[in-house]
């Protein structure tokens, strides 16, 4: 019973400081469209099978966990026990029937796990920057190098916020002010 009360307390505290906690129920893109293909992918991720994000296309997957998000780029392993706690999946880029592939051998699976680890390390390097605005600018720059800017512009602020550990409002400010922000604000 104490754990139930503690969980409710945590939820109410989180909702007080971060009112958009229900975003996982309905993830809406910046252009107003709701993301539905992610639920099909989420079903596949929860099946227990391991998949590989197709490395022959410019695509990726943002995996929303309870308190953070992870990016799995081309060639990365997803699913299995590793992503059983995934609450939402946001596919990015060139989406097709061949978005998630099944590894054909143990070697292919191991290579995919190594690639997933590389994507995690990239995000970790970005989050090590103590300045939130610079973390946001760096993740936006990384995504814009890989994906067309019009696709990156459609991604919700909360996705980037959970990737690099900042508030969604910080992402919004950086997106509006861009590189001007670093010269204006030194926080």
């Amino acid at each position: 019973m104490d754990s139930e009360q503690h969980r409710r307390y945590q939820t109410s505290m989180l909702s007080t400081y971060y009112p958009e906690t229900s975003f996982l129920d309905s993830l809406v893109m910046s252009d107003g469209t709701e993301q539905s293909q992610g639920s099909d992918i989420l079903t596949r991720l929860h099946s227990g099978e391991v998949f590989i994000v197709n490395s022959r296309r410019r695509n990726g997957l943002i995996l929303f966990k309870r308190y953070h998000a992870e990016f799995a780029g081309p060639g990365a392993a997803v699913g299995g026990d590793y992503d059983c706690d995934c609450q939402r999946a946001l596919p990015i880029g060139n989406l097709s029937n061949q978005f998630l592939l099944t590894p054909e051998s143990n070697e292919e699976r191991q290579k995919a796990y190594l690639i997933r680890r590389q994507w995690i390390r990239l995000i970790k390097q970005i989050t090590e920057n103590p300045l939130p605005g610079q973390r946001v600018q760096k993740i936006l720059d990384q995504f814009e190098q890989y994906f067309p800017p019009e696709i990156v512009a459609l991604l919700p602020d909360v996705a980037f916020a959970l990737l690099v550990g900042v508030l969604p409002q910080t992402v919004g400010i950086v997106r509006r002010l861009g590189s001007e922000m670093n010269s204006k604000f030194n926080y």
Side-chain angles (χ1 to χ4, degrees), residues 20 68 90 96 125 138 157 171 180 183 187:
E20 297 177 21
H68 74 285
L90 177 61
S96 68
Q125 287 175 349
K138 184 68 174 172
D157 291 349
V171 177
E180 296 173 21
S183 62
Y187 59 95

Side-chain angles (χ1 to χ4, degrees), residues 19-82:
E20 297 177 21
T21 54
S22 64
F23 82 94
L24 291 175
D25 298 333
S26 175
L27 189 60
V28 178
M29 304 298 278
S30 297
D31 65 353
T33 60
E34 192 166 333
Q35 192 67 350
S36 62
Q37 187 173 12
S39 61
D40 297 336
I41 291 173
L42 188 62
T43 302
R44 292 181 72 187
L45 294 178
H46 286 165
S47 72
E49 289 184 63
V50 174
F51 299 98
I52 299 173
V53 177
N54 192 340
S55 62
R56 297 201 172 134
R57 303 183 192 282
R58 285 196 172 246
N59 55 29
L61 197 56
I62 296 179
L63 304 166
F64 294 93
K65 307 290 180 106
R66 186 167 181 171
Y67 297 109
H68 74 285
E70 296 176 13
F71 179 71
V78 293
D81 292 336
Y82 194 69

Side-chain angles (χ1 to χ4, degrees), residues 6-168:
H6 181 68
R7 193 174 317 129
R8 271 191 256 141
Y9 174 74
Q10 285 179 325
T11 303
S12 66
M13 288 298 294
L14 186 59
S15 296
T16 301
Y17 291 109
Y18 184 58
E20 297 177 21
T21 54
S22 64
F23 82 94
L24 291 175
D25 298 333
S26 175
L27 189 60
V28 178
M29 304 298 278
S30 297
D31 65 353
T33 60
E34 192 166 333
Q35 192 67 350
S36 62
Q37 187 173 12
S39 61
D40 297 336
I41 291 173
L42 188 62
T43 302
R44 292 181 72 187
L45 294 178
H46 286 165
S47 72
E49 289 184 63
V50 174
F51 299 98
I52 299 173
V53 177
N54 192 340
S55 62
R56 297 201 172 134
R57 303 183 192 282
R58 285 196 172 246
N59 55 29
L61 197 56
I62 296 179
L63 304 166
F64 294 93
K65 307 290 180 106
R66 186 167 181 171
Y67 297 109
H68 74 285
E70 296 176 13
F71 179 71
V78 293
D81 292 336
Y82 194 69
D83 292 317
C84 63
D85 61 340
C86 187
Q87 297 180 351
R88 188 76 175 189
L90 177 61
I92 306 167
N94 189 350
L95 308 177
S96 68
N97 293 340
Q98 298 292 316
F99 186 77
L100 293 178
L101 307 173
T102 304
E104 296 178 10
S105 67
N106 280 337
E107 292 81 22
E108 191 175 357
R109 181 188 299 229
Q110 285 178 337
K111 181 181 175 188
Y113 276 120
L114 289 173
I115 293 171
R116 173 76 180 264
R117 193 168 74 181
Q118 288 175 338
W119 286 109
I120 290 171
R121 283 183 177 164
L122 173 68
I123 302 296
K124 180 184 178 289
Q125 287 175 349
I126 293 170
T127 59
E128 287 175 343
N129 187 324
L131 300 175
Q134 288 181 3
R135 289 199 306 261
V136 172
Q137 189 61 56
K138 184 68 174 172
I139 193 72
L140 290 172
D141 291 345
Q142 288 291 324
F143 269 71
E144 287 176 353
Q145 283 180 10
Y146 198 74
F147 298 109
E150 56 273 6
I151 289 178
V152 176
L154 292 176
L155 296 175
D157 291 349
V158 70
F160 291 112
L162 288 171
L163 282 170
V164 296
V166 301
L167 293 172

